[in-house]
Amino acid sequence: DAGVTQSPTHLIKTRGQQVTLRCSPKSGHDTVSWYQQALGQGPQFIFQYYEEEERQRGNFPDRFSGHQFPNYSSELNVNALLLGDSALYLCASRTGLDTQYFGPGTRLTVL
Amino acid sequence: GENVEQHPSTLSVQEGDSAVIKCTYSDSASNYFPWYKQELGKGPQLIIDIRSNVGEKKDQRIAVTLNKTAKHFSLHITETQPEDSAVYFCAASKRADKLIFGTGTRLQVFP
């Protein structure tokens, strides 16, 4: 049984560019959340998707947007990248009120 | 706002000793408290969790205690081994989503 998978593993972009990160949830999970983890800090909640809709959002600007597909996979899009967007982006999945399981993350570097 | 404080930030122990990490949460409505272990270059891995209707939970060498009145919860690792070395994060949530993470504890177990 595959766990949460994310792609790509690493990504390098320049300021002002746009990026799309992808996540496939654990089998049987229908809810996907995205977190940003800056170096040396705990993960910060970005938003959560369920039934293809954004259900909750953390304190992140509108440059951060997402999407969930009918197969429950999800994308995170970040526009107009800033140096401060450099971080590890984590995807977590769950079903119901069950435990969240995290993927390995995508390391984004903005130059 | 919602906040989780975690101490200590670093912890060094001798193999076989016990390790204790403590967290305090601010939102009294929080009812779910997971602990994650994160190894270098990997996503957070759930090691144990506890819900507010339980005061203590144990899984082999790992235990978690919860004091709802004081809004404290702690992770206890007994008989530590070198492979326990990692960064540990506590988190709190009103439900099993939108996790609010602590700042992490870097645990080093010396052989």
Side-chain angles (χ1 to χ4, degrees), chain A residues 35 37 40-43 45 48 56 88 90 94 97-100 102-104, chain B residues 32 36 38 41-44 46 49 51 89 95-99 101-103:
Chain A
Y35 291 79
Q37 185 177 23
Q41 298 183 20
F45 175 76
Q48 176 201 89
Q56 277 190 299
L88 181 68
L90 296 162
R94 64 172 175 87
L97 295 180
D98 206 347
T99 303
Q100 288 192 74
F102 283 83
Chain B
Y32 175 66
Y36 287 88
Q38 188 172 28
K42 297 185 178 180
L46 180 77
D49 56 7
R51 299 187 188 275
F89 290 98
R95 303 185 299 277
D97 65 359
K98 192 186 176 186
L99 296 170
F101 282 85
T103 49

Side-chain angles (χ1 to χ4, degrees), chain A residues 77-95:
Chain A
N77 301 292
V78 186
N79 295 322
L81 285 167
L82 304 174
L83 295 178
D85 295 331
S86 295
L88 181 68
Y89 288 86
L90 296 162
C91 171
S93 73
R94 64 172 175 87
T95 184

Side-chain angles (χ1 to χ4, degrees), chain B residues 59-75:
Chain B
D59 182 5
Q60 299 183 345
R61 296 186 297 108
I62 295 174
V64 57
T65 58
L66 172 64
N67 182 331
K68 287 189 297 181
T69 303
K71 293 190 282 187
H72 288 170
F73 58 113
S74 300
L75 176 71

